[in-house]
Amino acid sequence: MNPRQQERQLQVWLEKHQGLLVKVARSFARNRHDQDDLLQEIGLQLWRSIPNLNPDVAESTWIYRVALYTAISWTRKDSKHREKRQTLAEEPIANEPNPDPRVDWLYEKIAELNPIDRSLALMMLDGIQHRDIAETLGLSVTNVGVRLHRIKKHLSSLLDQETTDEL
Amino acid sequence: MNFDEIQLIWNSQAATKESLERESILLAVVEKEQSLRRLTTITDGVMIATLLFVAVMFFRDPVLQGHDLVLILPGIVCLAAAGWLFKWRRDRQHRHLGFEQSLRGLIDKSIDGLDDRISQMRNFVWWFAVPNVLGLIIALFIIDPARRYLLYLVFGPAFAICMGLAIWQINREIRSRLLPEKQRFEQLRTQMTNDQ
């Protein structure tokens, strides 16, 4: 595949899967500036993954895999930058608030999970089947089921707590 | 309250409102990719080319003029080091094709890549310094008819200091950047496996 075809393929993916990419970026980066940075990095890794694309794997599964891996690695690099920024007392630029504030709340809670559980939660909320999640992350289906059950319970209890606090 | 409420919140976000600046991402990707490829090619190329160049320099007199045959020895060592470096790179590329194509496979691949990099840096002395030092020792102490001991007195320690500094810098890079990065990937792998 030549670079022009690669560029076209990436353009198609960015168009078709922008919702998925934005969700991953929002879950792993806390402000707009970092999200743009992460999206660029995901774009780069997607571009580089094109020649290795496995035709037996669903396109969205492939994109999830690359995006999550990039986001996890990026988070680790970013934590160092964040520490430096915090020492300089620089305030992060906030995201534009969502019309439904509960969506921002949910992203906040997802961001508090460890990177693997965060990836699991994202795919589960996007309706990906357990089998595909297992294949994407390299876990067993049973393990995915157990972890997702725990995450569901955790998020539900947080929502309960939030509702009680509001009352 | 059950999980359906959470799912409703998630579904309520308007995915269509989230838009990507596709053109700028694409442009950034193309630029980054080109610069990364250039950097990797240049780094690997320079290392292999240096060893090949030094090998040619060692071979020049023995082959063209038929004297100082002892220089063939460091020439062969340099050639072998360049070949070994090339094989190392190719083996790594082949090995990486065999990793599972899942997130866990990518993490394993990253750990392997870091191990490989650490090993290559630690072996720098053997694949780069030894062939060159061997050649220099032969050239200065065996072949050079002038026997400029004063020069050797300055050159020897200066070379040793430079090599020492290079090795110190390599170890520092391994300790401060590569090992912590490897540790983080291993933690991530543990997070994935501890519930299996």
Side-chain angles (χ1 to χ4, degrees):
Chain A
M1 188 177 272
N2 65 43
R4 198 162 286 276
Q5 287 171 310
Q6 240 173 306
E7 197 175 318
R8 261 202 299 274
Q9 176 69 72
L10 182 63
Q11 223 160 1
V12 171
W13 280 356
L14 291 177
E15 168 100 41
K16 200 168 154 191
H17 299 283
Q18 58 177 314
L20 182 162
L21 298 174
V22 170
K23 283 173 192 168
V24 171
R26 279 199 68 178
S27 306
F28 282 84
R30 51 182 204 153
N31 62 51
R32 193 65 207 226
H33 179 266
D34 286 351
Q35 284 162 19
D36 287 345
D37 190 28
L38 175 56
L39 280 167
Q40 276 189 15
E41 193 58 34
I42 293 174
L44 177 66
Q45 295 308 325
L46 281 173
W47 164 285
R48 298 176 89 184
S49 79
I50 293 170
N52 305 324
L53 180 64
N54 182 348
D56 297 334
V57 177
E59 199 177 86
S60 57
T61 308
W62 182 267
I63 290 173
Y64 247 125
R65 188 178 296 169
V66 176
L68 289 173
Y69 171 74
T70 312
I72 289 172
S73 314
W74 182 89
T75 305
R76 303 197 165 275
K77 282 181 212 155
D78 177 60
S79 60
K80 287 180 202 161
H81 299 157
R82 194 178 299 162
E83 279 164 22
K84 279 184 195 163
R85 276 210 302 265
Q86 277 173 350
T87 56
L88 295 169
E90 189 182 315
E91 286 294 319
I93 312 152
N95 249 318
E96 280 172 34
N98 205 289
D100 182 352
R102 293 181 311 167
V103 173
D104 292 328
W105 172 86
L106 185 53
Y107 271 110
E108 210 175 286
K109 297 303 161 198
I110 291 172
E112 285 169 10
L113 299 171
N114 75 48
I116 304 301
D117 286 351
R118 213 180 305 175
S119 310
L120 281 158
L122 269 176
M123 284 190 279
M124 167 186 68
L125 287 164
D126 264 351
I128 312 275
Q129 299 293 311
H130 285 202
R131 197 169 47 88
D132 292 333
I133 297 178
E135 197 193 322
T136 304
L137 298 182
L139 299 170
S140 68
V141 180
T142 322
N143 188 235
V144 167
V146 171
R147 279 170 177 256
L148 286 181
H149 177 70
R150 204 184 301 156
I151 293 168
K152 279 181 181 179
K153 223 169 128 183
H154 174 68
L155 290 175
S156 302
S157 74
L158 288 175
L159 185 62
D160 272 344
Q161 205 181 323
E162 183 75 7
T163 317
T164 317
D165 288 350
E166 274 178 15
L167 289 174
Chain B
M1 191 84 62
N2 60 34
F3 187 73
D4 293 343
E5 181 83 19
I6 302 260
Q7 189 67 62
L8 280 175
I9 297 173
W10 183 257
N11 294 343
S12 75
Q13 61 181 317
T16 47
K17 280 189 184 169
E18 302 283 12
S19 63
L20 284 179
E21 288 175 26
R22 289 194 297 275
E23 287 308 314
S24 66
I25 290 180
L26 205 61
L27 194 70
V29 166
V30 172
E31 279 173 5
K32 264 191 190 179
E33 169 63 18
Q34 281 172 348
S35 97
L36 270 176
R37 199 186 304 161
R38 250 197 319 265
L39 185 72
T40 316
T41 312
I42 288 171
T43 311
D44 290 346
V46 163
M47 287 194 294
I48 294 173
T50 305
L51 286 165
L52 290 177
F53 174 76
V54 175
V56 168
M57 294 310 284
F58 284 135
F59 283 134
R60 196 188 57 179
D61 281 359
V63 171
L64 295 180
Q65 292 167 18
H67 60 78
D68 299 334
L69 293 179
V70 70
L71 285 177
I72 288 177
L73 177 68
I76 289 171
V77 175
C78 282
L79 268 188
W84 176 81
L85 197 62
F86 181 74
K87 188 180 174 301
W88 182 312
R89 190 175 139 80
R90 215 184 47 179
D91 285 353
R92 189 188 57 219
Q93 285 166 344
H94 278 265
R95 208 170 52 242
H96 281 186
L97 289 176
F99 280 102
E100 199 188 321
Q101 289 191 324
S102 62
L103 187 67
R104 189 165 164 193
L106 289 170
I107 290 169
D108 287 340
K109 191 166 129 180
S110 299
I111 293 171
D112 182 82
L114 284 166
D115 274 337
D116 192 80
R117 182 115 184 86
I118 290 168
S119 173
Q120 194 188 37
M121 286 169 83
R122 281 195 175 139
N123 284 311
F124 164 81
V125 175
W126 300 108
W127 61 260
F128 194 82
V130 165
N132 287 307
V133 170
L134 180 70
L136 283 168
I137 288 173
I138 292 174
L140 291 175
F141 292 90
I142 302 176
I143 294 170
D144 184 15
R147 298 278 186 272
R148 288 165 285 196
Y149 292 110
L150 197 63
L151 174 72
Y152 307 158
L153 206 66
V154 177
F155 179 81
F159 189 82
I161 289 170
C162 284
M163 284 313 297
L165 281 173
I167 292 164
W168 176 77
Q169 178 64 28
I170 284 170
N171 284 326
R172 189 169 162 266
E173 173 81 357
I174 291 173
R175 269 199 318 274
S176 64
R177 197 175 66 82
L178 299 179
L179 283 177
E181 201 172 334
K182 185 186 161 197
Q183 212 174 3
R184 284 192 290 266
F185 274 116
E186 281 173 341
Q187 274 172 4
L188 205 59
R189 186 166 62 181
T190 311
Q191 276 178 13
M192 293 189 94
T193 50
N194 62 5
D195 280 344
Q196 292 264 48

